Amino acid sequence: MGDERRKFTRESAAQRKEALIRATLSLIAEKGVRGATVRGIAERAEVTQGLIRHYFSSKEELVTAAFDYHMTQMTDLTFAPAAEVEGSAADRLRVFVQSSLTPPVVDPRSIALWAGFLNKVQHDAQMKETHARTYIDFRDRLQELIRAALEEAGIPARPERLYQLATACNALIDGLWMEGGALPEAFAPGELSQIGLDAVGAIIGLNFEAASAPRRGAQR
Amino acid sequence: MGDERRKFTRESAAQRKEALIRATLSLIAEKGVRGATVRGIAERAEVTQGLIRHYFSSKEELVTAAFDYHMTQMTDLTFAPAAEVEGSAADRLRVFVQSSLTPPVVDPRSIALWAGFLNKVQHDAQMKETHARTYIDFRDRLQELIRAALEEAGIPARPERLYQLATACNALIDGLWMEGGALPEAFAPGELSQIGLDAVGAIIGLNFEAASAPRRGAQR
DNA sequence: CTGTTAGTTATGCAAGTGTATAATTATTGA
DNA sequence: TCAATAATTATACACTTGCATAACTAACAG
């Protein structure tokens, strides 16, 4: 009886690091960066706290790694669906807007992570740079989708106007994303992406709803 | 020589409470709720930590009070300018969008506070209720402004459509607000409200830019 | 001028924090 | 089978945290 030393199995560095990062993200989403304590992270990853020091030289480094991991994952999640679309440019834009405004991108956890990291982003130069780069990358890709869709429709736009359209659509999507994540019960499934599609269409002056794939009780 | 007991002056309960709340908000904006320690708040308010206990029975209570204070202040800041406008409905809507998208509403500190509070909002029932109420209030007021502007222009909209327009415009404003606060250096002064105005006009189908008060190098 | 009191400071405590380091043990190669 | 070693656990430490409580004093009533 009594205290027995804890059993353990060795894992590869990559696996352990990822497990620690996932545990970190999970805790940051719940309690913020300061609430994600080294002991809490270790417990959630089912290791003891000393192990964290073995893979990350400080909590700071672990948090930074977790931020990079999360940003990469979110970017992939958002862009992958549109990249697979083979149809028209309008189709790609539509799929992009939809995947940005449905789970798992829209999710309370995802917005909690965004909020949890914001303080660090505002103070840490490296994280600030990653954040700005991700934002610009997102907006540029959206701008390219808009450009292609307008050109395809025979109403090309000048670069300055394209920039404004992309900024507005980006803000619209971010705002809907934020509200869907912060007030999940306030929106019916599909409502966000429906509103988002209509509004993006209105902003860029293109009704791509009726176009190809009909949705929501196709008339006629 | 050496340690002398600290001098102090008595203040009214209202003043001290407000000073403590302001110090709390200032620290939450910088370091989040957990980073805003009782000692740090006391130092910033230039009192000793014991005094906090005298006015608030726990840190939790102080944070909740600070949240209410902040939400009220933000709401006032946002709606006051539009309420003073005497002109057309389109004018009121325009002023509302502009005041929502310029300082002091758009501000890194303001978004840091939003992010700092989010975790508590998601977990604390009372704060969640305040948050949801503020959101709905904001959107309802925006919806009324849109309704009046459309009616004035002779293109009234049905309630269901109004709801969608207001939700989209609300998200657009929130998104621009968020981006302006999170990436201040990415936008020129006035750029956000210009983009916001154009996009709101496009969404609701009303060019209220040319209408009454001409802006930005008035033509003709 | 003086006693009272509530506003304020000072001090203490138990629990939690990140980090450092020593002690073990699972795994591997010969 | 067995030594070597890197992965993992266990322990310790100085510091911070929220909260409790005792000590003091500015302001005010009489």
Side-chain angles (χ1 to χ4, degrees):
Chain A
M1 71 210 84
D3 312 336
E4 290 168 2
R5 193 183 177 90
R6 177 173 182 153
K7 294 290 189 296
F8 64 93
T9 56
R10 297 187 176 187
E11 305 273 347
S12 76
Q15 280 180 329
R16 270 280 135 86
K17 280 195 170 192
E18 178 163 351
L20 288 172
I21 284 174
R22 295 173 80 93
T24 303
L25 288 173
S26 144
L27 267 172
I28 289 179
E30 282 178 30
K31 309 182 187 181
V33 170
R34 293 193 195 232
T37 68
V38 170
R39 284 167 180 80
I41 293 167
E43 184 183 12
R44 191 153 298 192
E46 295 181 312
V47 296
T48 53
Q49 51 162 328
L51 191 59
I52 290 179
R53 262 284 279 178
H54 190 259
Y55 287 108
F56 301 92
S57 68
S58 67
K59 178 186 171 180
E60 179 84 9
E61 191 181 307
L62 171 56
V63 170
T64 302
F67 180 66
D68 289 348
Y69 180 95
H70 172 64
M71 291 299 263
T72 302
Q73 187 177 258
M74 287 296 288
T75 300
D76 291 352
L77 229 47
T78 309
F79 289 110
E84 287 175 5
V85 174
E86 307 248 339
S88 64
D91 280 340
R92 277 200 301 283
L93 178 54
R94 180 164 45 71
V95 168
F96 176 81
V97 173
Q98 280 176 327
S99 64
S100 300
L101 294 178
T102 43
V105 177
V106 169
D107 189 88
R109 179 194 133 105
S110 145
I111 201 174
L113 277 173
W114 187 89
F117 278 121
L118 184 70
N119 269 282
K120 300 231 92 176
V121 167
Q122 290 188 328
H123 291 81
D124 180 302
Q126 186 193 334
M127 288 177 73
K128 183 182 273 181
E129 206 274 332
T130 300
H131 178 250
R133 184 161 27 81
T134 303
Y135 166 76
I136 289 170
D137 182 48
F138 190 99
R139 204 207 49 210
D140 283 352
R141 295 215 219 183
L142 177 54
Q143 181 166 332
E144 170 54 22
L145 289 171
I146 291 173
R147 189 203 59 74
L150 288 179
E151 191 175 271
E152 181 183 77
I155 42 172
R158 301 223 318 269
E160 188 187 328
R161 175 163 166 78
L162 268 177
Y163 162 82
Q164 292 195 341
L165 296 181
T167 302
C169 290
N170 189 14
L172 173 77
I173 291 169
D174 281 357
L176 288 171
W177 169 81
M178 190 167 75
E179 277 143 32
L183 294 163
E185 64 284 353
F187 301 95
E191 186 181 357
L192 280 179
S193 62
Q194 184 59 44
I195 293 175
L197 277 173
D198 289 347
V200 166
I203 289 173
I204 69 176
L206 189 69
N207 184 354
F208 55 178
E209 184 62 23
S212 47
R215 315 188 74 77
R216 286 187 23 135
Q219 311 95 321
R220 222 133 70 92
Chain B
M1 69 210 82
D3 312 337
E4 290 170 0
R5 192 180 180 91
R6 177 174 181 153
K7 295 292 188 298
F8 64 93
T9 56
R10 298 187 176 186
E11 305 272 347
S12 76
Q15 280 180 328
R16 269 280 133 86
K17 279 196 170 189
E18 178 162 351
L20 288 172
I21 285 174
R22 294 173 80 93
T24 304
L25 289 173
S26 145
L27 267 172
I28 290 178
E30 281 177 31
K31 312 182 185 180
V33 171
R34 291 192 195 235
T37 68
V38 170
R39 284 169 180 78
I41 293 167
E43 185 183 10
R44 191 152 299 192
E46 296 181 310
V47 296
T48 53
Q49 53 163 326
L51 191 59
I52 291 179
R53 259 288 274 177
H54 190 259
Y55 287 107
F56 300 93
S57 69
S58 68
K59 178 185 171 181
E60 179 84 8
E61 192 181 305
L62 170 56
V63 169
T64 302
F67 180 66
D68 289 347
Y69 181 94
H70 172 64
M71 293 299 264
T72 301
Q73 186 178 259
M74 287 296 287
T75 301
D76 291 350
L77 230 45
T78 309
F79 289 111
E84 289 177 4
V85 173
E86 306 250 338
S88 65
D91 280 339
R92 277 200 301 283
L93 178 54
R94 178 164 45 72
V95 169
F96 176 80
V97 173
Q98 281 177 327
S99 64
S100 300
L101 293 178
T102 43
V105 176
V106 169
D107 188 88
R109 180 195 133 104
S110 144
I111 202 176
L113 276 173
W114 188 88
F117 278 122
L118 184 70
N119 269 280
K120 299 234 92 175
V121 167
Q122 288 187 328
H123 291 82
D124 179 304
Q126 186 193 334
M127 288 177 72
K128 183 182 273 181
E129 206 272 332
T130 299
H131 178 249
R133 183 160 28 82
T134 303
Y135 166 77
I136 290 170
D137 182 48
F138 189 98
R139 204 207 49 210
D140 283 351
R141 295 216 219 183
L142 176 56
Q143 181 166 332
E144 171 53 22
L145 289 172
I146 293 173
R147 189 203 59 73
L150 288 180
E151 191 175 87
E152 180 183 77
I155 42 173
R158 301 225 318 272
E160 189 186 329
R161 175 161 167 78
L162 268 179
Y163 163 82
Q164 292 195 340
L165 296 181
T167 302
C169 290
N170 189 16
L172 173 77
I173 291 170
D174 280 357
L176 288 171
W177 169 81
M178 188 165 77
E179 277 144 30
L183 294 162
E185 64 286 349
F187 301 96
E191 187 180 356
L192 281 179
S193 61
Q194 184 58 46
I195 293 176
L197 277 173
D198 289 347
V200 166
I203 290 173
I204 69 177
L206 188 68
N207 184 353
F208 55 172
E209 185 61 24
S212 47
R215 316 189 74 75
R216 288 184 27 129
Q219 311 95 321
R220 217 132 75 85

